[in-house]
Amino acid sequence: MESVSIQNQTKMRSTKEDLILSILPLLKLICLAVIGLILGHPKTQLIPKATFKLLSKLVFALFLPCLIFIHLGETITLQNFVRWWFIPVNVILSTVIGCVLGLLVAKICRPSPEYFRFTIIMTAFGNTGNLPLAIVGSVCHSAENPFGPECHKTGTAYVSFAQWVAVLLVYTLVYHMMEPPMEYYEVIEDGTEIQEEASTNDLSRPLLVEAEWPGMEDRETEHCKTPLIARVFQSASSLSQSSIPEPDSLEENDPATAPRSPKSLRCLVEPQMVRRIRIVAEKTPLLHILQPPTFATLLAFFVGMVPPVKSVVYGEDAPLSFITDSLDILAGAMVPSVMLVLGGMLAEGPTESRLGIRTTIGIVVARLLVLPLVGIAVVYLADKSKFLIPGDQMYRFVLLLQYTTPSAILLGAIASLRGYAVREASALLFWQHVFAVFSLAIYVIIYFKMLLSYV
């Protein structure tokens, strides 16, 4: 009887310790966010919005690239590049599954037709960058973390490795899914499109527009605020010819393409559908992915996978170790800065939204409660299929986080760039991050219980 009692006490102590280990990292992040909320709250105004925007730019242009370069570059090798193949695949899988859930939400909740695609993409695309980095950093901050001494370096490397595919998805799938519907525009006789006046004052924009990808709205292209795909693919029978120009007219207006490919010659050799797809591809701003975090990722790949260069940059005895040490100090400011900016964003409160309460609740439930359950099944099946690195629990933890985080704050910036549903995105992101406090706590406890039982 005594042995049974001792076993029960040990089991209860172990369960209590697991609970503390899983909940403490989130409590640390919540404290940082609350500090940002207090500093940025309109009633206190201890720190103005301009300061938060400057801090977000520092995160984007300095702290995040330093973090990526230090930890990804030191960990990545040609062998690891191949072994980690499931990380980017998992980002795509989570987005595809999220799109299916978003479609179900749109069918069940029946939002206004103009928000149909918006509902799908807000459910599908989660935060795969700043928030997972903050969670991993907080989990690994304690010396008693359950993932070992290399926890922070490997966890950050895994999250950073997913960044490049996430950015590609932003400027392809997300960019076009957030396209304004044709009905959003008023078309007059001369073909000029009239839309809501966008404020040119940087301080008047919601903080969420600048919170994760500062300066995105300043990179507007000719067609970023127009329903480009609808104009290219919509048949002439449904709308008048004056309201939707032919693809050739879109092409002829582009001086870069018109001289080298005459309309008469191209029509002879290129099918109409191929031509329309090519026009959309040419108008997709893929060059915008070349930002500081992307450069840091590419540089980390190059340095990390070339041993002679890596030995010069990384390691205590490396000739350039003083540079990496300096960058590591800057990288340490990443997590607190991100959470302070998030708190400042939440301090602005929700904006007015025409999305509807039912659709908002549907997106929150699908994104924060249903998708993580599907993610557990996906990661479990991948593990059983031997797609994952054997015995690496941090690898599995990062994969699970990709299904658990709220919608990416970057979606608010895309909405602003496309000039559509900015208030709806702001309100939805606010409520998602509020309820994510509880959903993340629940699922992190579940993940710890699952993963630590195999350690």
Side-chain angles (χ1 to χ4, degrees), residues 113-148:
E114 63 181 303
Y115 297 120
F116 191 87
R117 282 183 286 109
F118 175 82
T119 300
I120 294 174
I121 202 63
M122 290 298 289
T123 309
F125 196 75
N127 192 321
T128 59
N130 290 355
L131 191 54
L133 284 172
I135 294 172
V136 167
S138 184
V139 166
C140 300
H141 187 262
S142 171
E144 299 177 355
N145 76 81
F147 297 107

Side-chain angles (χ1 to χ4, degrees), residues 74-194:
E74 189 175 2
T75 310
I76 193 71
T77 61
L78 191 58
Q79 181 184 8
N80 283 342
F81 189 89
V82 176
R83 293 176 72 205
W84 298 353
W85 68 271
F86 194 75
I87 294 177
V89 169
N90 194 59
V91 174
I92 297 172
L93 277 176
S94 65
T95 305
V96 171
I97 295 169
C99 284
V100 174
L101 287 177
L103 182 61
L104 291 175
V105 171
K107 292 290 187 180
I108 295 171
C109 298
R110 297 180 181 177
S112 173
E114 63 181 303
Y115 297 120
F116 191 87
R117 282 183 286 109
F118 175 82
T119 300
I120 294 174
I121 202 63
M122 290 298 289
T123 309
F125 196 75
N127 192 321
T128 59
N130 290 355
L131 191 54
L133 284 172
I135 294 172
V136 167
S138 184
V139 166
C140 300
H141 187 262
S142 171
E144 299 177 355
N145 76 81
F147 297 107
E150 300 294 318
C151 170
H152 188 251
K153 182 170 68 175
T154 56
T156 303
Y158 292 154
V159 177
S160 302
F161 192 68
Q163 291 280 69
W164 63 271
V165 69
V167 172
L168 281 176
L169 286 173
V170 165
Y171 276 108
T172 51
L173 174 69
V174 176
Y175 180 83
H176 289 300
M177 285 289 285
M178 295 288 280
E179 175 180 288
M182 287 296 298
E183 296 79 9
Y184 189 65
Y185 287 82
E186 177 187 354
V187 184
I188 57 179
E189 289 183 1
D190 62 357
T192 304
E193 292 162 350
I194 300 174

Side-chain angles (χ1 to χ4, degrees), residues 16 18 93 135 141 148 218 227 337 348 354 391 405 412 439:
K16 183 179 179 181
D18 290 348
L93 277 176
I135 294 172
H141 187 262
D218 300 328
S337 299
E348 294 183 338
R354 294 182 297 170
T405 54
S439 65

Side-chain angles (χ1 to χ4, degrees), residues 88-321:
V89 169
N90 194 59
V91 174
I92 297 172
L93 277 176
S94 65
T95 305
V96 171
I97 295 169
C99 284
V100 174
L101 287 177
L103 182 61
L104 291 175
V105 171
K107 292 290 187 180
I108 295 171
C109 298
R110 297 180 181 177
S112 173
E114 63 181 303
Y115 297 120
F116 191 87
R117 282 183 286 109
F118 175 82
T119 300
I120 294 174
I121 202 63
M122 290 298 289
T123 309
F125 196 75
N127 192 321
T128 59
N130 290 355
L131 191 54
L133 284 172
I135 294 172
V136 167
S138 184
V139 166
C140 300
H141 187 262
S142 171
E144 299 177 355
N145 76 81
F147 297 107
E150 300 294 318
C151 170
H152 188 251
K153 182 170 68 175
T154 56
T156 303
Y158 292 154
V159 177
S160 302
F161 192 68
Q163 291 280 69
W164 63 271
V165 69
V167 172
L168 281 176
L169 286 173
V170 165
Y171 276 108
T172 51
L173 174 69
V174 176
Y175 180 83
H176 289 300
M177 285 289 285
M178 295 288 280
E179 175 180 288
M182 287 296 298
E183 296 79 9
Y184 189 65
Y185 287 82
E186 177 187 354
V187 184
I188 57 179
E189 289 183 1
D190 62 357
T192 304
E193 292 162 350
I194 300 174
Q195 54 185 337
E196 292 181 7
E197 289 291 327
S199 174
T200 57
N201 184 6
D202 183 66
L203 293 179
S204 67
R205 302 176 191 167
L207 184 58
L208 74 90
V209 173
E210 302 283 338
E212 196 169 53
W213 202 274
M216 177 177 284
E217 195 176 62
D218 300 328
R219 297 181 175 88
E220 293 183 3
T221 60
E222 180 185 357
H223 298 284
C224 71
K225 287 186 173 5
T226 63
L228 176 66
I229 292 181
R231 296 174 69 185
V232 172
F233 284 93
Q234 186 79 27
S235 62
S237 60
S238 60
L239 290 170
S240 65
Q241 292 290 340
S242 62
S243 63
I244 304 177
E246 284 296 311
D248 292 319
S249 66
L250 287 172
E251 200 171 12
E252 288 167 0
N253 290 333
D254 189 349
T257 59
R260 71 167 185 260
S261 46
K263 174 182 173 182
S264 57
L265 178 61
R266 184 164 285 178
C267 286
L268 292 175
V269 297
E270 191 174 33
Q272 188 178 27
M273 181 57 66
V274 174
R275 181 159 50 97
R276 292 173 187 270
I277 294 173
R278 177 180 51 77
I279 292 170
V280 171
E282 288 174 353
K283 304 300 180 183
T284 301
L286 283 176
L287 289 178
H288 287 183
I289 69 173
L290 299 177
Q291 301 298 330
T294 311
F295 283 122
T297 302
L298 296 175
L299 186 60
F301 284 161
F302 171 74
V303 175
M305 291 192 288
V306 180
V309 180
K310 188 173 187 176
S311 63
V312 174
V313 178
Y314 298 105
E316 294 181 1
D317 299 328
L320 299 181
S321 62

Side-chain angles (χ1 to χ4, degrees), residues 66-67 70-71 152 322-333:
C66 287
L67 187 76
I70 289 298
H71 295 291
H152 188 251
F322 67 95
I323 295 179
T324 52
D325 287 344
S326 301
L327 296 180
D328 194 21
I329 295 171
L330 289 171

Side-chain angles (χ1 to χ4, degrees), residues 115 118 206 208 348-356 360 421-428 430-431:
Y115 297 120
F118 175 82
L208 74 90
E348 294 183 338
T351 57
E352 293 183 4
S353 172
R354 294 182 297 170
L355 187 60
T360 301
V422 179
R423 291 181 301 175
E424 287 71 25
S426 176
L428 191 55
F430 173 85
W431 291 117

